[in-house]
Amino acid sequence: MTGRSGWSGRTAARSIAPRGVVVTLVAAVAVVLLALCTAPAAGTTRTAPPWPAPTDLRSRAEAAGLRNVWGAPLAEHVHTHLTVLDGSTPVTVPGDVGHSAREHFAAELHTHDTSGILHVESPTRQTFTLGQFFDEWDVSLGVGHVGGLRGELTVWVDGHRYLGNPRSIALVDRRQVVLAVTTVGEVPRLPAPFDWPPQYR
């Protein structure tokens, strides 16, 4: 009986060890993904706007964890609207961030025009974040800043105050995100909701 218990204990110890390793690996991967999501990509600009669309599409996409999926069949196609305010002054979100018809390049996350509409067009279903878009745009985004805009950053998601790291905001269909940077003491103003064009309704 003692021998059987000892054998069972050794077997249990052997079977538990791999589970512990798996849990440790999963936790490590989660930490890495969280760090990538919450920290701006290396080299992103901290200058004042305007911020043009990058011309090095492939390297900016790679910095954001994206790739060229031009012509691939889509499993996911959603749109989020982004408004960036310097005080009360809108900052232009440029067209062709992560996109070029001439080069046959389209990252899973990109813009077509200056409407502020972010397009997620992906052959796989997955969650893309605002942080990835800013990394692709080559503009630094963090808890207290947007590029070179400094002061107090107020974030709204679908008209509600958002208190987390703006980089982690998921880009889901017809979501509206507003980033307003104001001077200390200045009261941020939530703009009117974006009026989606008919083709997006």
Side-chain angles (χ1 to χ4, degrees):
M1 202 158 169
T2 305
R4 185 178 297 170
S5 297
W7 179 82
S8 299
R10 285 194 297 274
T11 302
R14 282 197 297 271
S15 65
I16 289 170
R19 277 191 222 142
V21 170
V22 169
V23 169
T24 302
L25 286 173
V26 168
V29 169
V31 167
V32 170
L33 290 175
L34 184 62
L36 289 173
C37 180
T38 57
T44 49
T45 186
R46 289 178 178 251
T47 61
W51 301 305
T55 55
D56 51 342
L57 299 176
R58 193 170 304 279
S59 65
R60 290 318 315 161
E62 289 174 357
L66 304 170
R67 61 198 171 95
N68 183 14
V69 294
W70 181 276
L74 301 181
E76 187 170 38
H77 190 184
V78 301
H79 306 92
T80 294
H81 186 264
L82 172 64
T83 299
V84 180
L85 298 173
D86 178 4
S88 59
T89 304
V91 174
T92 300
V93 178
D96 285 334
V97 173
H99 182 270
S100 171
R102 182 176 56 81
E103 298 178 33
H104 288 189
F105 189 97
E108 296 102 325
L109 173 55
H110 58 265
T111 64
H112 289 290
D113 52 36
T114 59
S115 64
I117 295 174
L118 313 184
H119 297 250
V120 171
E121 299 177 17
S122 174
T124 58
R125 289 193 174 277
Q126 62 187 95
T127 300
F128 296 92
T129 65
L130 191 63
Q132 286 180 285
F133 176 72
F134 272 83
D135 289 346
E136 183 180 34
W137 188 7
D138 197 19
V139 176
S140 183
L141 174 66
V143 175
H145 74 280
V146 181
L149 300 178
R150 293 292 187 278
E152 293 185 348
L153 174 59
T154 303
V155 181
W156 289 277
V157 175
D158 293 332
H160 302 285
R161 285 289 298 273
Y162 181 85
L163 301 178
N165 190 323
R167 293 184 54 81
S168 64
I169 295 172
L171 305 180
V172 300
D173 202 31
R174 295 189 65 190
R175 170 162 280 177
Q176 299 192 34
V177 179
V178 178
L179 307 177
V181 181
T182 54
T183 58
V184 176
E186 181 182 358
V187 178
R189 306 283 183 193
L190 176 63
F194 178 65
D195 185 15
W196 288 95
Q199 65 268 33
Y200 297 99
R201 294 176 187 164

